């Protein structure tokens, strides 16, 4: 039973489209994150939610909108996709005193 | 603000040789430090973490790291490299353990048969 699951694993789409990535965790953790890994493997935080409340928004274009319907889910919706949005997006969770657990990633390719 | 520097974006070692991956951190408070490993097309898996207990931390797969406050370092080592260790390794820092992770730029480890 996967602790942090993301769907889809691969996503290929055209510029200008709108797409969503979903994340679900069954660890009961309070905090969920979205990280972006670029083509050079650099990982950077995008958003953090704690108990459905947005805590961190790291200078991400407002075309990216996270939504947390409940503590176990954090989805990422992206409007008007651009070529530069191509990356691997990782969902992660943790609670106080534990390490972060990562999903398997969603490889987004914008063509 | 916290930051992490990983020296060497690529490291190659022979099978059976010592693995040493370097990580230096900057933090205004006592840090929580982590090493994660990423295998091709996979997510990140925790190797080990330092949370202000013992300065020598043992992790999975024979890896260990030593926290040296005077050098602001948290280098990762393994006495004898195995082919299966080939992967990307990330050092990360978190303030208080309840904050976002700030990652280094990663080190790709290649094992030479």
């Amino acid at each position: 039973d996967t602790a942090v699951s993301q769907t889809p694993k691969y996503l290929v789409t055209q510029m200008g489209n709108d797409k969503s990535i979903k994340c679900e965790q069954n660890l009961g953790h309070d905090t969920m994150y979205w990280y972006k890994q670029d083509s050079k493997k650099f990982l950077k935080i995008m958003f953090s939610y704690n108990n459905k409340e947005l805590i961190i928004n790291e200078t991400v274009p407002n075309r990216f909108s996270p939504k947390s319907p409940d503590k176990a889910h954090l989805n990422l919706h992206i409007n008007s996709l651009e070529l530069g949005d191509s990356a691997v997006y990782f969902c992660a969770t943790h609670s106080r005193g534990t390490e972060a657990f990562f999903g398997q990633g969603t490889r987004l390719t914008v063509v | 603000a916290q930051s992490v520097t990983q020296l060497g974006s690529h490291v190659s070692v022979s099978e059976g040789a010592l693995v040493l991956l370097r990580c230096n951190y900057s933090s205004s408070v006592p840090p929580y430090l982590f090493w994660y490993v990423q295998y091709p097309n996979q997510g990140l898996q925790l190797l080990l973490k330092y949370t202000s207990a013992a300065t020598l931390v043992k992790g999975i797969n024979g890896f260990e790291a030593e926290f040296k406050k005077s050098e602001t370092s948290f280098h990762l080592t393994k006495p004898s490299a195995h082919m299966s260790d080939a992967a990307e390794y990330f050092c990360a820092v978190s303030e208080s353990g309840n904050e976002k992770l700030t990652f280094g730029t990663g080190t790709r480890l290649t094992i030479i048969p």
Side-chain angles (χ1 to χ4, degrees):
Chain A
D1 197 19
T2 305
V4 183
S5 60
Q6 293 179 231
T7 54
K9 188 169 182 179
Y10 300 97
L11 184 53
V12 181
T13 188
Q14 289 187 324
M15 280 174 53
N17 283 352
D18 303 338
K19 290 293 178 185
S20 292
I21 307 171
K22 296 186 176 182
C23 178
E24 176 180 3
Q25 56 110 350
N26 62 8
L27 297 168
H29 289 170
D30 297 322
T31 308
M32 297 185 73
Y33 305 86
W34 280 110
Y35 286 86
K36 179 180 180 180
Q37 186 175 44
D38 64 23
S39 58
K40 296 184 178 179
K41 301 285 188 180
F42 184 61
L43 276 154
K44 193 174 190 312
I45 190 167
M46 300 173 69
F47 300 104
S48 167
Y49 267 76
N50 187 279
N51 277 322
K52 302 192 298 176
E53 183 181 343
L54 180 65
I55 302 298
I56 295 173
N57 181 341
E58 289 277 331
T59 321
V60 178
N62 56 15
R63 297 183 294 104
F64 290 79
S65 52
K67 282 189 173 50
S68 182
D70 55 58
K71 203 171 84 164
H73 295 85
L74 179 62
N75 303 324
L76 183 64
H77 188 77
I78 315 170
N79 289 325
S80 304
L81 278 155
E82 300 177 357
L83 293 177
D85 298 331
S86 296
V88 182
Y89 293 85
F90 285 100
C91 177
T93 80
H94 89 276
S95 274
R96 181 179 290 276
T98 74
E99 69 272 17
F101 289 81
F102 285 79
Q104 291 297 293
T106 296
R107 183 176 294 274
L108 172 65
T109 303
V110 183
V111 298
Chain B
Q2 55 200 10
S3 65
V4 173
T5 302
Q6 289 185 242
L7 289 175
S9 57
H10 291 89
V11 171
S12 295
V13 301
S14 298
E15 191 175 13
L18 172 71
V19 175
L20 170 60
L21 304 183
R22 298 179 188 274
C23 173
N24 288 88
Y25 70 92
S26 170
S27 177
S28 57
V29 299
Y32 285 60
L33 293 159
F34 307 83
W35 276 99
Y36 281 85
V37 60
Q38 185 180 26
Y39 298 103
N41 298 315
Q42 300 278 324
L44 281 79
Q45 179 183 4
L46 182 73
L47 275 178
L48 48 80
K49 61 182 178 182
Y50 167 76
T51 57
S52 77
T55 56
L56 182 61
V57 181
K58 293 189 184 298
I60 62 171
N61 301 339
F63 284 94
E64 62 182 38
E66 187 172 8
F67 172 70
K68 291 187 177 180
K69 185 178 178 181
S70 61
E71 298 177 7
T72 61
S73 68
F74 190 57
H75 302 331
L76 182 71
T77 60
K78 181 174 179 176
S80 177
H82 191 272
M83 295 301 294
S84 61
D85 295 328
E88 192 89 23
Y89 291 80
F90 293 93
C91 183
V93 64
S94 168
E95 292 182 0
S96 81
N98 196 36
E99 299 280 334
K100 65 178 182 177
L101 289 168
T102 298
F103 284 91
T105 49
T107 298
R108 176 167 295 178
L109 177 63
T110 300
I111 310 298
I112 303 166

